[in-house]
Amino acid sequence: AAYEEREKRWAGAGRSYEPVLARGPNAGLHERAAHCLLNAQGDVKKALEHARAAVLDSPNDVKFRMTLARAYLAAKMKESALGELERASALAPSDDSIKEQIRRVKRGES
C-alpha cells in the first residue's frame, strides 16, 4: 500500500490498505487509506469510514481531523467539514493554513 501511495496509484493504495486493516485497527493506516481514496476521487463513503475511524482512535491528531474534513467536503457535508476544521484549529491554534481552509470553506471555495 505504501509503495502504491508513493507511486501515486491512489485507488490501488486505498484498496491495498484494506487487508492490512483487517488484521486490526490502526489510526494511521485508516488515515492513509482515506487520504488515498480521496486523492483517487474514489469511494467517498469508504473514505469517510476510514477517516472517522482514525479520528475516533486518535482524536487529538490534527492531520487525522484534516483528512476527515476533506472527506466530509467530498461527501458535500460542509457543516461537518467546518466542525472538523474548527476542532483541528483548536488543536493547532498557530496553524494559519487551517484558518485559511476554514475561510475558503465558508466562502464555498473548498
Side-chain angles (χ1 to χ4, degrees):
Y3 171 77
E4 287 179 306
E5 190 174 349
R6 280 191 304 276
E7 295 295 316
K8 299 191 182 342
R9 296 184 203 160
W10 301 118
R15 284 189 305 272
S16 293
Y17 279 111
E18 293 291 326
V20 178
L21 286 165
R23 294 184 207 145
N26 179 306
L29 294 180
H30 275 296
E31 188 280 331
R32 296 319 302 160
H35 172 81
C36 292
L37 290 168
L38 292 168
N39 282 349
Q41 297 178 346
D43 187 341
V44 174
K45 183 179 177 184
K46 191 61 127 170
L48 271 169
E49 289 173 15
H50 285 299
R52 284 181 182 138
V55 168
L56 281 173
D57 194 45
S58 295
N60 294 324
D61 191 302
V62 173
K63 179 180 175 183
F64 296 176
R65 291 220 176 254
M66 294 299 291
T67 300
L68 182 53
R70 280 185 60 213
Y72 280 135
L73 288 172
K76 311 258 188 275
M77 299 170 71
K78 180 181 174 180
E79 293 304 315
S80 295
L82 280 171
E84 286 307 317
L85 290 168
E86 293 289 347
R87 285 185 275 284
S89 184
L91 291 168
S94 62
D95 189 334
D96 291 333
S97 68
I98 299 172
K99 291 178 181 94
E100 179 56 30
Q101 179 68 21
I102 291 169
R103 284 190 286 275
R104 286 198 318 260
V105 170
K106 285 182 177 179
R107 289 190 307 249
E109 299 173 4
S110 58

